[in-house]
Each structure stands twice: as structure tokens, then as C-alpha cells.
Amino acid sequence: MITKQQILDALSHVEEPDLKKDLVTLNMIENIEILPNKIKFDVVLTTPACPLKGHIEHACRNAIALFISKEVEVEINMTARVRAVENAQLKNIKNIILVSSGKGGVGKSTVAANLALALANSGASTGLLDADIYGPSVPIMFGLDGARPESTQTADGKTKIVPIEKFGLKLLSIGFFTDPNQPIPWRGPMATSAIKQLFNDTDWGDLDYLVVDMPPGTGDIHITVAQQYPIAGALIVTTPQQVALADTIKGMAMYQMEGVQVPILGIVENMAYFTPAELPDNRYYIFGKDGGKRLAEQNEVPFLGEIPLLKSVADAGDNGFPIALDKEDPVTQSFEEIAGRVAQELSILAATV
Amino acid sequence: MITKQQILDALSHVEEPDLKKDLVTLNMIENIEILPNKIKFDVVLTTPACPLKGHIEHACRNAIALFISKEVEVEINMTARVRAVENAQLKNIKNIILVSSGKGGVGKSTVAANLALALANSGASTGLLDADIYGPSVPIMFGLDGARPESTQTADGKTKIVPIEKFGLKLLSIGFFTDPNQPIPWRGPMATSAIKQLFNDTDWGDLDYLVVDMPPGTGDIHITVAQQYPIAGALIVTTPQQVALADTIKGMAMYQMEGVQVPILGIVENMAYFTPAELPDNRYYIFGKDGGKRLAEQNEVPFLGEIPLLKSVADAGDNGFPIALDKEDPVTQSFEEIAGRVAQELSILAATV
């Protein structure tokens, strides 16, 4: 008869590659069941978007075969419980991810929306907060033009905004509260107070990830958000163009300033190249080549991936169906990989804090 | 013998097409000289960038032939004196033109730089003020990374910044005063005070046009600039993408608000289409087709032209030589046309104020 201890001993030989410790030490093994000729257990990963899921499952099976028996049937339930970055103020939200860019128009909102969808598709409960107070994109990108969130009364009598649910995401945008044809010429303090409401006065429920689409640049909203909320990390979007990279460096430096100190999860290069349908082998590097990749190397931050300049991606945003909803599109795979990398970086950060 | 009065009578039949009045009423005829078999005079246009220059000269010759004689030789000196929009505060600057966009990354800085160059090339004294305080582009676009403007003492004992002169333009950028690798996380009031210095504490000299590259969006700097300075008009840059157009509508609405009221000179559509060198007849409308043109029609503002998405334009900006320096490039002609249209709109506004 196999014992629980034998199973734990065997699995203590399996290392979580990112966290550099074994699964038993990391308390990742749960619900061990021993049946006549079968054993069952759960592996509780740090994120459902873990790109190493298959690798870890395989390593567990090998460990049982090697240290216990090749004959026993092994049923592994790969599950996940997202670990929280220290977070007292918004304690139902485990990880707040800022999607940021030094320069506007680099596709920050496209990356934020599709990253959030990819995280949600992996099984994580995910929200998307559109904090681009001067140019909110979520209403158009999710086909929610003119939508107005409802409000609810919490148990302690507070009125809270209810995010709009669509495509498996909890969505909130400053654009839901304004006339799309009217400008928001808010001076700094007004913008700051609006953004605080979207964070604090919203019934976000329990979230593994809250992806925040930040305004471009380095202004009031960045200082407020970075100083007042426990941010798990920032993902930086850039195009390969020199003038965009210059602003990106500034954007990253801001997050590394004293009193701000938001970890940089990595750089995504958008509009990397264009490929016409008639010339599928040609890549036109309209904005230059590998600018984002080089920037990541120079600043020793992870390069999370590149997204080509595609009419399908632009159209998808305009039409209210972000590209990551189309599981067949190769760009969706790119976003899934980016989501995996982001989730991985966050798991490492949560484990090392 | 021909008299001055005959010449003025003849030219009073020539109408300035934009201003809808004749050249004599508009005081555009100067320095009339009558020689034995030749007459000479100046036509003083409202802008050297006037796209109707050839048309007006031709009409003058016709009027002399028709009302005086076909035999007399006519020498016309087409010149220009740019008329000022009412402007007490910065009285050496005749026209302040804001180049603005609701959304960032649409090529606002590219349009501002090349518009300024096209105006200067037409013979107008022109300055370019890079007010994009969070992401200044002028240092890179003009190959002036690390440049620092000098200061001078004016007659009344004030210290003033001296703009840097390059390619026939007077240039000033917030980027000349900051470390390109450091962020500028200024809250609203600091940004506002910085921008005021660039306008007020600078020895701009006499300028026909000061082109201002505004930050994207609708924030503190826009309110300050629009309320505190006599703005001749704003040129709006957009891409054809729906999410960009949505922000553009907001940007235009801001300029039309009470207490702001900046005239919209028109819309420029950037990144209109891509044409690969191998398929010169193909136009790929990556961001959608005619979005800027339709927006101009819907809002009854002039559509000033479209600029294709070109590697040469992007590279030129990155390399420190804006594309309008290359007189052979077809895009330069597009920018010259846009400059002509802008100068024309400003002449009309100055005449009707």
C-alpha cells in the first residue's frame, strides 16, 4: 500500500522552475487520495495562465514512476490559486497589473484588452479598468458604447459601481460615465479623484488580476495610482520607433523612482512589422526593427513578445470584438504567451516578496 | 501715359478668392512704378504659403490686359506680409498654430515638424514649440539630442531663452531642459508653469507662424494654452481608426468649449494607408479608410489632407531629418499643400476677425 508520505517524498523531487523550490515545500500538493491501484492529487499552481503547466504535470508523473512505481495509475488535477502581492487596500484583488506606455498610440489599450482576455480564458478571474481618462478605449473596443454601469449597496451600506461583465471580464471605463462627444478637460486633481473612484468605489468582487489600461505619459494619474495602490507590476508597451522608445525609457524610469517603485514585468513590442496578404513572406518593419527587444536587453527587463501591425487587430478593436476572442488567430496565441509570461513574472514576485 | 489710378482701377477687378474682396480694397497692391513701356507693382499676399499665388498673379495680368492694354509689359512682385490674429500678449508672433490630437501616437509631432518646415520653406519666419511636456519629440526629430539653448538679456533686463535655429526654423522643446532618460512626472500646476516659460520667457523674435506641438489629450496644458494665449487656430491630427476618431471628437470639442474657443483649422489624416515597394499600386488601409475625411465632413471642418504610413516618414523623424527637407519626396508635397491650406485658413480668419 502506497502512503501519503511516499507520494509527498516523490513529489518533493519536482521543482517549480520559476520559484526554484519543490512543489511540496511550496505547498502546491493538495487532496491526495489513495485508491487500490490509483493515486490522485491536485497540483495547485500560482496561476491558471502558467505556461509551465504541462511541464510540471509531466515531471510529477515521472517522479511517481521513478520513486514509487511505474504500475500505479496517476490522476493529477492541475489547478491554480493566484497568489496575492501584498495588498491591504484592495484586498479582494490579488494582482493589479498596469499596462503602460510612455508614448500614446502605441497600442497600449489593444494589449491591455487582449491580455485581460487571455488571462480570463486561462481560467483566472480578471477585471479590466480603463484608466485612460483622456481617451478611454474600452467602450469602443468591447462594443459598449453608451453603456452605463449600475450601482449596488454593499453590506456596510456603501454605494458601489458594478462593473459591466462581457466576454468573461469585469469591465470598467471612465468612458462609461462621460458623453463620448464631450471632452474631459480635467485638471490634475479632478482626474486623480475620478481615478480613485474607479478603484475604491467599485464592487470588483474577488479578482485574480485587475489589468489597468493607464493613460500614456507620466502625469498625475501615474503618480496617484503608483503611490496609493499596491501594484503588482507594470507591463510596458512600445513600438520599435526611436521617438516611441525615448518616451518608453522615461515611462519605465518613472516606475523605478523612489516612492513609486513598481516592478517592470517586461516590454511588449507592438506594430512590429506589416505583412501584406499578397506577400505573406515579407515583413515590412515600418517603424524599425527590434527596437523594443533591444530596449528590454539594455534595461535588463524581460522582453514579453511582439505583435505585428495587422488590420485584423485594428479592426477587431474598432468592431467591439478584441482579437483574442478569435482562438484561431495567430495573434491570439501571441497574447496567450504574453499572458503566460506576465502571470509567471507575478508568481515569482509574489513568492519573493 | 498710364496712370496709377488706371492700374488700381484695373486691379480692383481682381478678387482674393479666400477673402472675397478685391486686391485694392484689401490694400494688397504696393510700390506701383510706371516706366515707358512697362509697369511694375507688388502684390502683398497674406501668407507666402498662399496656394493661390499663381492664380492671383495670372488674374492681375489678365486685368491689366483687359482694362488697360495688352501691349504693356507687366512685372509683378508676388510678396507676402502675414496678418496677425489679434495678439496683445505675444505681439511679435503673428499666428500661433496648435497641432493637436485627441489620441497620442497618431503622428502629431511628425505633422507639426513638417508643417513648420513647409511654412518656413515658403518664406515665412516660423518657429516650432514642442509643448508635449510628457513626451517631447523635437530633440530626436531634429537631431538635437542633448542640445541646450542659450539665454540672452533683453533691453529691459529680462533673461530670455534663445530658441535653437535649425533647417530655417526656430526650435524650442521642453526636451532641451530635461534628461532624456528621466521621466517628468509633473503634476498639473508644474506642467502649466513649464509651458508658460516656453511661451513667455523665450526670445522668439518676429514670427509669422509659431507651430505648437501639443501633448495628446485634453488636460491642463490645453486649458492653459487655449485660455492664456491668443491662438490663431488648431490643426487636428488623427488616424482613420475608430478609437482614434473617438478621441479626436473630444479633442475638437474641447477647443470649441466656452472660454476656450480656438478655431479648428482642419483635420489631417495620418497613417492613411501603406504601400509596399513591391506592390506600388496597392494601398493597405490598415487602420480603416477615410475615417479622418468623414470626421471632417460630419463636423463641417476642412479636411486638409492625408499622409500615408511610410517607413521613410518614420525613419526621417528618427534620423533627425524630417521628411519635408527632401524636396523630391511626394510626402513633402502633401505637407506643402497642408501648409498652404493652413495659411489660407489663417488669412481668412485674420481678415474676418
Side-chain angles (χ1 to χ4, degrees):
Chain A
M1 184 72 179
I2 299 169
T3 65
K4 269 195 184 184
Q5 195 54 49
Q6 279 181 298
I7 295 172
L8 288 174
D9 286 348
L11 295 176
S12 71
H13 291 93
V14 179
E15 190 187 73
E16 213 284 349
D18 287 325
L19 305 180
K20 313 274 185 229
K21 287 186 183 151
D22 73 88
L23 302 188
V24 178
T25 303
L26 289 167
N27 293 318
M28 282 181 165
I29 308 302
E30 291 184 3
N31 298 327
I32 298 176
E33 279 184 66
I34 299 155
L35 305 171
N37 200 27
K38 180 177 181 178
I39 58 174
K40 289 167 75 171
F41 56 88
D42 295 353
V43 176
V44 185
L45 298 170
T46 52
T47 169
C50 180
L52 302 166
K53 200 186 281 189
H55 170 88
I56 293 172
E57 183 176 348
H58 190 69
C60 288
R61 290 188 186 281
N62 279 350
I64 300 292
L66 192 64
F67 297 103
I68 301 180
S69 157
K70 281 182 183 143
E71 308 305 320
V72 66
E73 189 189 340
V74 180
E75 186 181 324
I76 305 179
N77 176 30
M78 298 300 288
T79 174
R81 197 178 309 124
V82 176
R83 299 193 178 188
V85 166
E86 189 192 345
N87 187 343
Q89 203 176 343
L90 293 163
K91 48 183 175 302
N92 295 331
I93 303 175
K94 289 185 179 162
N95 292 282
I96 301 176
I97 305 168
L98 307 184
V99 177
S100 199
S101 73
K103 193 168 161 55
V106 297
K108 179 182 51 59
S109 298
T110 300
V111 171
N114 288 296
L115 167 66
L117 280 170
L119 287 168
N121 286 345
S122 79
S125 59
T126 307
L128 174 60
L129 169 55
D130 179 7
D132 194 347
I133 210 149
Y134 301 115
S137 300
V138 157
I140 289 178
M141 292 191 76
F142 284 83
L144 290 169
D145 236 356
R148 291 283 173 272
E150 301 191 348
S151 61
T152 184
Q153 206 81 6
T154 57
D156 54 349
K158 285 184 187 151
T159 302
K160 295 260 183 180
I161 304 163
V162 182
I164 293 180
E165 297 205 25
K166 192 157 183 183
F167 306 142
L169 287 179
K170 290 188 178 173
L171 298 167
L172 202 57
S173 168
I174 187 71
F176 292 154
F177 304 96
T178 57
D179 180 337
N181 295 318
Q182 289 303 312
I184 314 179
W186 289 344
R187 292 195 178 268
M190 286 174 70
T192 303
S193 128
I195 210 72
K196 282 191 197 166
Q197 284 194 15
L198 297 183
F199 272 100
N200 297 340
D201 300 345
T202 298
D203 184 20
W204 285 109
D206 292 325
L207 289 183
D208 291 325
Y209 301 107
L210 178 62
V211 176
V212 185
D213 185 0
M214 296 291 286
T218 54
D220 283 34
I221 290 174
H222 302 82
I223 307 175
T224 301
V225 169
Q227 289 184 339
Q228 304 220 344
Y229 299 102
I231 305 302
L235 178 154
I236 310 288
V237 184
T238 186
T239 69
Q241 206 177 358
Q242 201 57 43
V243 290
L245 296 173
D247 291 356
T248 305
I249 293 172
K250 288 200 194 79
M252 287 201 293
M254 181 193 60
Y255 285 126
Q256 289 158 348
M257 276 170 39
E258 244 193 278
V260 177
Q261 280 153 325
V262 170
I264 306 289
L265 301 173
I267 291 176
V268 171
E269 184 177 308
N270 193 30
M271 307 192 194
Y273 54 84
F274 174 70
T275 296
E278 292 82 352
L279 298 168
D281 296 331
N282 285 25
R283 290 185 169 194
Y284 294 89
Y285 294 92
I286 301 177
F287 295 115
K289 193 166 181 296
D290 288 337
K293 197 177 279 178
R294 276 198 307 277
L295 190 69
E297 283 164 11
Q298 284 157 12
N299 288 272
E300 295 177 351
V301 299
F303 182 68
L304 300 176
E306 62 181 17
I307 307 290
L309 179 60
L310 288 174
K311 186 162 167 50
S312 59
V313 176
D315 283 353
D318 276 0
N319 295 341
F321 293 91
I323 196 80
L325 290 171
D326 179 356
K327 298 281 167 61
E328 302 303 311
D329 197 295
V331 172
T332 301
Q333 283 166 35
S334 303
F335 280 115
E336 281 167 359
E337 280 168 33
I338 291 168
R341 291 288 304 276
V342 166
Q344 214 173 354
E345 292 292 328
L346 289 173
S347 297
I348 297 172
L349 282 169
T352 52
V353 160
Chain B
M1 183 70 181
I2 299 170
T3 65
K4 269 197 183 184
Q5 195 53 49
Q6 280 179 298
I7 295 172
L8 288 173
D9 286 348
L11 295 176
S12 71
H13 291 94
V14 179
E15 190 187 76
E16 212 283 349
D18 287 325
L19 305 180
K20 315 276 184 222
K21 288 185 184 152
D22 73 88
L23 302 188
V24 178
T25 303
L26 289 167
N27 292 318
M28 282 181 164
I29 308 302
E30 291 185 2
N31 299 327
I32 298 175
E33 278 184 66
I34 300 154
L35 306 171
N37 200 29
K38 180 177 181 176
I39 59 173
K40 290 168 75 171
F41 55 87
D42 295 353
V43 176
V44 186
L45 297 171
T46 51
T47 169
C50 180
L52 302 164
K53 199 187 279 190
H55 169 88
I56 293 172
E57 181 176 352
H58 189 72
C60 288
R61 291 188 186 280
N62 278 351
I64 301 292
L66 190 64
F67 296 104
I68 302 179
S69 157
K70 281 180 183 145
E71 310 303 319
V72 66
E73 189 190 338
V74 181
E75 186 181 323
I76 305 179
N77 176 30
M78 299 299 289
T79 174
R81 198 178 308 122
V82 176
R83 297 193 178 188
V85 166
E86 190 193 344
N87 187 341
Q89 204 177 343
L90 293 163
K91 48 183 176 301
N92 296 330
I93 303 175
K94 289 184 179 164
N95 292 282
I96 301 175
I97 305 169
L98 307 184
V99 177
S100 200
S101 73
K103 193 169 159 58
V106 298
K108 179 182 52 57
S109 298
T110 301
V111 171
N114 289 296
L115 167 68
L117 280 170
L119 287 168
N121 286 345
S122 79
S125 59
T126 307
L128 174 59
L129 168 55
D130 178 6
D132 193 347
I133 209 150
Y134 300 115
S137 300
V138 157
I140 289 178
M141 292 190 75
F142 285 84
L144 289 169
D145 235 355
R148 291 284 173 273
E150 300 191 349
S151 61
T152 185
Q153 206 80 6
T154 57
D156 53 349
K158 285 184 186 149
T159 302
K160 295 259 184 182
I161 304 163
V162 183
I164 294 179
E165 298 204 26
K166 192 156 185 185
F167 306 140
L169 287 180
K170 289 187 180 173
L171 298 168
L172 201 57
S173 168
I174 187 71
F176 293 155
F177 303 96
T178 56
D179 179 337
N181 296 320
Q182 289 303 312
I184 315 179
W186 289 344
R187 291 197 179 267
M190 287 174 70
T192 303
S193 127
I195 210 72
K196 281 190 195 167
Q197 284 195 16
L198 297 182
F199 272 101
N200 297 341
D201 301 345
T202 299
D203 184 21
W204 285 109
D206 291 324
L207 289 183
D208 291 325
Y209 301 107
L210 177 62
V211 176
V212 184
D213 184 359
M214 296 290 286
T218 55
D220 283 35
I221 290 173
H222 302 82
I223 307 175
T224 300
V225 169
Q227 289 184 339
Q228 305 220 343
Y229 300 101
I231 306 302
L235 177 153
I236 311 286
V237 184
T238 186
T239 68
Q241 206 177 357
Q242 201 58 41
V243 289
L245 296 173
D247 291 356
T248 305
I249 293 172
K250 288 200 193 79
M252 289 202 292
M254 180 193 59
Y255 286 125
Q256 289 158 348
M257 274 170 38
E258 246 194 277
V260 177
Q261 279 152 329
V262 170
I264 306 288
L265 301 172
I267 290 175
V268 171
E269 184 177 308
N270 192 30
M271 307 191 193
Y273 53 85
F274 174 70
T275 296
E278 292 81 353
L279 299 168
D281 296 330
N282 286 24
R283 289 185 168 193
Y284 294 88
Y285 295 91
I286 301 176
F287 295 115
K289 193 167 181 293
D290 288 337
K293 196 177 277 177
R294 276 197 308 277
L295 190 69
E297 285 165 10
Q298 283 157 13
N299 289 270
E300 295 177 351
V301 298
F303 182 70
L304 301 176
E306 61 180 19
I307 307 289
L309 179 60
L310 288 174
K311 185 162 168 51
S312 59
V313 176
D315 283 352
D318 276 359
N319 295 339
F321 293 91
I323 196 80
L325 291 171
D326 179 356
K327 298 281 166 61
E328 304 302 312
D329 197 295
V331 172
T332 301
Q333 283 166 36
S334 302
F335 280 115
E336 281 168 359
E337 280 167 34
I338 291 168
R341 292 286 307 276
V342 165
Q344 215 174 353
E345 293 292 328
L346 289 172
S347 298
I348 297 171
L349 283 169
T352 53
V353 160

